[in-house]
Amino acid sequence: MRVACYIALILLALNGTTLISTTAPSVSDRLVAAALERTNHDVTYDGRYLSIPYPGGDVPEHLGVCTDVVIRSYRALGIDLQERVHEDMRAHFERYPSIWGLDRPDPNIDHRRVPNLRVYFKRHGFELAVTDDAGDYQPGDLVTWVLPGNLPHIGIVVDRRSADGSRPLVVH
């Protein structure tokens, strides 16, 4: 699944935030900058369940998984995916994966699960066709894939390219 770089723009509009002038950095530029900034942090991979405040909750800064990169990058733009995913799951729980055997949404963890983020963005019309053309992936796009062991993963396409220039890089 690919999620378009215009997600942040749409979500900001839905949030009632006044959009900045066209002379300011674009939303996708800001998302890319936020994702690249995440690479300056020492974070230990830790996806365990933790109780966190709601809304605006986060696991400790030194812990995280791929979804936390996305969550923290969006939060730098004033977008709280914890709240957005939780509220959408409250209203449409049956449309989300039942992989975890839950009978109701859980704001501590739901937004930290790649399958839930995929459903959330797809439900809000941001899914794009998967393509093998690296040129189709734009800075600010979200991409998901499956790692060995059937582990779903997510990252943010940035404005940097592979050493040979053929592929965009992804912060994850």
Side-chain angles (χ1 to χ4, degrees):
M1 179 179 110
R2 256 181 80 213
V3 180
C5 60
Y6 51 83
I7 290 171
L9 179 65
I10 300 296
L11 292 177
L12 283 171
L14 290 174
N15 196 30
T17 302
T18 302
L19 297 177
I20 52 182
S21 75
T22 56
T23 59
S26 75
V27 174
S28 60
D29 290 344
R30 291 173 47 223
L31 183 61
V32 166
L36 289 170
E37 193 280 331
R38 297 300 324 149
T39 67
N40 296 318
H41 299 262
D42 290 325
V43 178
T44 300
Y45 186 90
D46 188 335
R48 70 188 143 128
Y49 181 96
L50 295 169
S51 291
I52 58 175
Y54 175 81
D58 196 2
V59 298
E61 179 73 18
H62 68 283
L63 301 177
V65 293
C66 60
T67 52
D68 294 311
V69 171
V70 173
I71 292 161
R72 291 168 176 159
S73 296
Y74 269 88
R75 203 163 268 154
L77 276 64
I79 298 168
D80 184 356
L81 289 175
Q82 178 196 27
E83 182 176 23
R84 290 174 186 268
V85 170
H86 179 67
E87 293 304 317
D88 196 58
M89 288 185 77
R90 282 184 51 199
H92 306 283
F93 187 71
E94 72 285 350
R95 295 186 180 168
Y96 281 82
S98 59
I99 301 167
W100 304 279
L102 302 175
D103 59 1
R104 66 185 187 289
D106 182 343
N108 294 297
I109 192 73
D110 289 333
H111 63 299
R112 296 185 70 216
R113 292 178 164 154
V114 174
N116 288 345
L117 289 177
R118 287 184 61 153
V119 169
Y120 174 80
F121 286 118
K122 182 177 182 177
R123 279 190 27 74
H124 293 278
F126 300 114
E127 183 178 47
L128 298 173
V130 173
T131 171
D132 290 330
D133 183 352
D136 289 337
Y137 293 83
Q138 301 301 310
D141 283 356
L142 298 183
V143 291
T144 68
W145 63 99
V146 178
L147 295 172
N150 202 32
L151 300 171
H153 203 64
I154 191 168
I156 301 172
V157 177
V158 295
D159 58 357
R160 312 268 170 91
R161 306 217 34 105
S162 58
D164 66 3
S166 66
R167 295 176 315 281
L169 297 181
V170 176
V171 171
H172 58 103

